[in-house]
Amino acid sequence: MYNVLVCDDERDIVSALRIYLTAEGYQVYEAYNGKEALEVLARETIHLVLMDIMMPVMDGITAMVKLREQSNVPVIMLTARSEDTDKVLGLNIGADDYVTKPFNPVEVQARVKSQLRRYMQLGSGVTPRVVETLTIGGIELDDRTKEVTLDGERAALTPTEYDILKLLMENPGKVYSPAQIYAAVWNDSPYGTENTVAVHIRHLREKLEYNPAEPRYLKSVWGRGYKLEA
């Protein structure tokens, strides 16, 4: 059983999400602001967080910044706005995905399953599939241990970053559009996802390039997408 923390200041939303998630067999913990969420995370083993952005006492952005100082647990943002600004801001500070209010229960369940799958594959609780090491230049990805190193130094990637990197390393030199990356990694419709992918690519560059402004490996192909250059 996976433990999911739902944090939103609107109790009706928390109640609805609890119904959706318990129906899927998850243990649901509740919080109504970022401070309460951090307190739950400190005392319970949480496998995924659903976090609202606009909340009293401590907003979701501040809570995610503090959370990322000590944990890579997946965070899915809950946002009431359709604009990209909230979503990109959240992704910039460490969120893995987002869902927009009002929720489609099927979408919420699918995104939760997707993030938990990647998170648990990177942990020690899952039997590894096949021993496989991918190497491009100074980047080495060990799919058995789910570890990535740059010139021998471990790079701490989130599950989403790991999956994007693995996709590109398995196909060196191949150009992937943002839509293709999103469809392959998130297993979801790629409509309007360019900003989401771009933020994760930027994070990968910050962790795997000595000069992210002039990347050696993770290249942009103007008007087409991204590739990992051998």
Side-chain angles (χ1 to χ4, degrees), residues 88 91-93 197-207 212 218:
V88 172
L91 292 168
N92 273 332
I93 53 87
V197 173
V199 170
H200 287 293
I201 291 290
R202 180 167 61 78
H203 288 170
L204 274 171
R205 283 179 174 150
E206 290 170 351
K207 295 176 180 182
L218 195 47

Side-chain angles (χ1 to χ4, degrees), residues 94-153:
D96 295 278
D97 205 351
Y98 61 85
V99 291
T100 303
K101 303 173 188 177
F103 305 123
N104 177 328
V106 175
E107 179 187 8
V108 171
Q109 291 164 353
R111 292 185 184 275
V112 167
K113 285 180 181 177
S114 176
Q115 290 298 329
L116 281 171
R117 174 183 59 81
R118 287 201 291 276
Y119 182 59
M120 296 311 292
Q121 283 177 350
L122 286 179
S124 59
V126 173
T127 301
R129 295 188 297 275
V130 178
V131 175
E132 181 181 8
T133 300
L134 301 172
T135 303
I136 292 181
I139 301 174
E140 182 174 294
L141 180 150
D142 187 335
D143 200 38
R144 180 180 61 85
T145 62
K146 306 299 178 185
E147 288 188 350
V148 174
T149 58
L150 174 64
D151 295 332
E153 296 293 326

Side-chain angles (χ1 to χ4, degrees), residues 168 173-178 181 194 197-205 209 211-230:
L168 297 177
K174 181 177 178 180
V175 178
Y176 283 88
S177 70
I181 292 173
E194 290 81 0
V197 173
V199 170
H200 287 293
I201 291 290
R202 180 167 61 78
H203 288 170
L204 274 171
R205 283 179 174 150
E209 302 281 1
N211 182 1
E214 297 181 6
R216 294 182 297 167
Y217 303 114
L218 195 47
K219 303 280 191 176
S220 297
V221 180
W222 181 254
R224 295 181 60 197
Y226 307 98
K227 68 176 180 177
L228 202 67
E229 195 160 88

